[in-house]
Amino acid sequence: VTTFCDNDALRNNWFVVALVTDIGEQPRAISLLGDRFVIWRSADGELVAAEDRCPHREAPLSAGSVKEGTLTCRYHGWTFGDQGRCLSVPSASKTSQVPVRAHLTTLQVTEKYGLVWLCPGVTTSEVPVVVEDSDPSFHRFNTPIQQWAASATRMVDNFLDTAHFAFVHDVSIGSGINPRVATFDVQPLDDWFTGYIYDVLVANPEEAHSTLGDSATASLVHMTTGFALPFIVRGTMQFPNGVRQVLMLSSTPVDDLNSLFTFAIWRNDDEPEAEIVNFELQIDAEDQLMVEMLDGPLPLEGGRLVSVRSDKGSEVWRRELVRLLVSNVPRQPAK
Ligand code: FES
Ligand SMILES: [Fe+2]
């Protein structure tokens, strides 16, 4: 299963496609799993999502405009309101009915953690719950959506791996640290995430002092790293001064080889946002440089890759992803 984007079962999941603040006055085009979608806000402020294709002559609806929550197609001016209902066909006489099939099939879309989550199929599951989000002692930072020339499968494999710290992050958190990874077990971390718990001695360069709340040359951080299928990774960190940080990394397949990336951070202290976010952006840029060198998607079939004990986290994720992909749920919704 090297190509995974056209997998039907994969579509029945939530994907982060934008920041909430990215959806403004005008319709927004979204590229996801090799298809194009459009998102806009209806008059009551709810998000509306549909395929980015007008039922009339397939013009991209994202090229149209939105006024008072109604989207007008750029090509012949058909208009679409709440729930994607076609409201008017300007070329038709006042008395003729709007064709039934002119209504858009809308998709599940929701807002959580400052992010817009879209399901291009059908899902009954919730967006993974980060419990700190409803804890008033924590506050959240979001960062702009980036596009990486890397497969989401390569990204998640990287985010679940700590054996690369001493190498890929040799100028930041990995500077001079012991490359040996302690033995760990993979287990449910809570109702939403599966992963492992460990302590790691990370380097503490000047730029990390705010994040680690510490100015020693290295800090022992108590961490968990886990995944929620298909492509969400969560890291939790407890620093020596007791401060906790939660990082949620989202990798969304634009197609098999390109992905959207963003992260959200929750913290229970008052360190300045810029320092926390910039340090994490630096680490992620180091990962990006590495995963963009990797050719194609991660081989998902067992036996193609040589894995060792420290790959256990990503191996469990890879097996569960394959199980999801072969679960063979019929593709929906077809009109
Ligand atoms: S293609 Fe949209 S109105 Fe004709
Ligand atoms: Fe990394």
Side-chain angles (χ1 to χ4, degrees):
V1 215
T2 297
T3 290
F4 60 95
C5 269
D6 57 1
N7 180 279
D8 293 346
L10 188 59
R11 300 175 78 88
N12 299 332
N13 290 277
W14 291 109
F15 297 93
V16 172
V17 294
L19 299 183
V20 165
T21 49
D22 290 338
I23 313 292
E25 302 282 293
Q26 292 311 316
R28 176 146 179 130
I30 301 290
S31 295
L32 171 63
L33 298 177
D35 281 328
R36 277 173 54 103
F37 302 91
V38 61
I39 297 181
W40 79 95
R41 266 187 207 286
S42 68
D44 57 8
E46 293 290 303
L47 294 177
V48 185
E51 283 191 45
D52 193 13
R53 190 182 303 124
C54 181
H56 178 224
R57 285 297 178 273
E58 304 191 325
L61 292 167
S62 58
S65 56
V66 173
K67 206 171 159 198
E68 286 157 11
T70 296
L71 186 148
T72 302
C73 179
R74 179 93 178 88
Y75 202 175
H76 311 91
W78 292 21
T79 62
F80 303 90
D82 293 2
Q83 279 103 50
R85 288 193 69 76
C86 181
L87 303 174
S88 65
V89 173
S91 65
S93 74
K94 287 252 180 310
T95 53
S96 63
Q97 301 248 321
V98 167
V100 180
R101 289 178 51 244
H103 304 307
L104 305 178
T105 302
T106 54
L107 301 165
Q108 289 169 278
V109 62
T110 192
E111 300 178 30
K112 200 158 191 181
Y113 317 136
L115 304 168
V116 176
W117 302 71
L118 177 67
C119 172
V122 170
T123 180
T124 51
S125 63
E126 265 181 83
V127 166
V129 173
V130 173
V131 292
E132 288 79 3
D133 194 64
S134 47
D135 177 340
S137 61
F138 281 82
H139 53 272
R140 191 190 69 232
F141 307 131
N142 284 101
T143 55
I145 304 264
Q146 306 175 24
Q147 186 155 340
W148 290 17
S151 177
T153 53
R154 295 284 192 189
M155 292 162 67
V156 173
D157 181 59
N158 170 280
F159 300 149
L160 291 171
D161 162 36
T162 62
H164 73 277
F165 284 11
F167 302 95
V168 167
H169 303 300
D170 55 355
V171 298
S172 59
I173 49 170
S175 162
I177 67 166
N178 183 348
R180 212 183 80 79
V181 175
T183 306
F184 57 81
D185 289 321
V186 178
Q187 59 196 326
L189 297 172
D190 61 15
D191 288 349
W192 303 92
F193 291 90
T194 299
Y196 51 98
I197 302 170
Y198 57 107
D199 291 309
V200 62
L201 191 67
V202 297
N204 190 13
E206 179 89 44
E207 330 64 280
H209 289 184
S210 285
T211 294
L212 298 172
D214 191 353
S215 55
T217 53
S219 283
L220 190 69
V221 184
H222 182 66
M223 295 187 57
T224 74
T225 296
F227 66 85
L229 288 176
F231 301 120
I232 300 294
V233 173
R234 185 197 66 179
T236 68
M237 285 139 245
Q238 169 136 3
F239 303 115
N241 64 359
V243 169
R244 291 177 56 216
Q245 172 171 299
V246 178
L247 189 63
M248 190 189 78
L249 307 170
S250 165
S251 309
T252 293
V254 167
D255 54 35
D256 282 321
L257 302 176
N258 298 281
S259 309
L260 303 180
F261 171 73
T262 189
F263 61 86
I265 293 180
W266 291 260
R267 279 181 76 100
N268 62 351
D269 69 354
D270 296 314
E271 287 296 331
E273 167 166 6
E275 286 175 37
I276 303 299
V277 166
N278 288 342
F279 182 58
E280 186 55 37
L281 284 171
Q282 179 194 337
I283 297 170
D284 291 332
E286 293 164 1
D287 288 318
Q288 180 182 11
L289 209 58
M290 188 70 240
V291 294
E292 287 190 344
M293 289 182 214
L294 306 176
D295 202 16
L298 183 78
L300 294 177
E301 26 324 37
R304 275 277 302 278
L305 300 169
V306 180
S307 294
V308 292
R309 185 132 201 165
S310 58
D311 297 313
K312 186 88 185 286
S314 112
E315 286 292 293
V316 170
W317 163 76
R318 190 175 58 79
R319 274 202 303 276
E320 302 248 321
L321 179 68
V322 169
R323 195 174 306 154
L324 183 155
L325 296 181
V326 301
S327 62
N328 218 359
V329 182
R331 180 168 176 165
Q332 298 177 58
K335 279 209 205 163

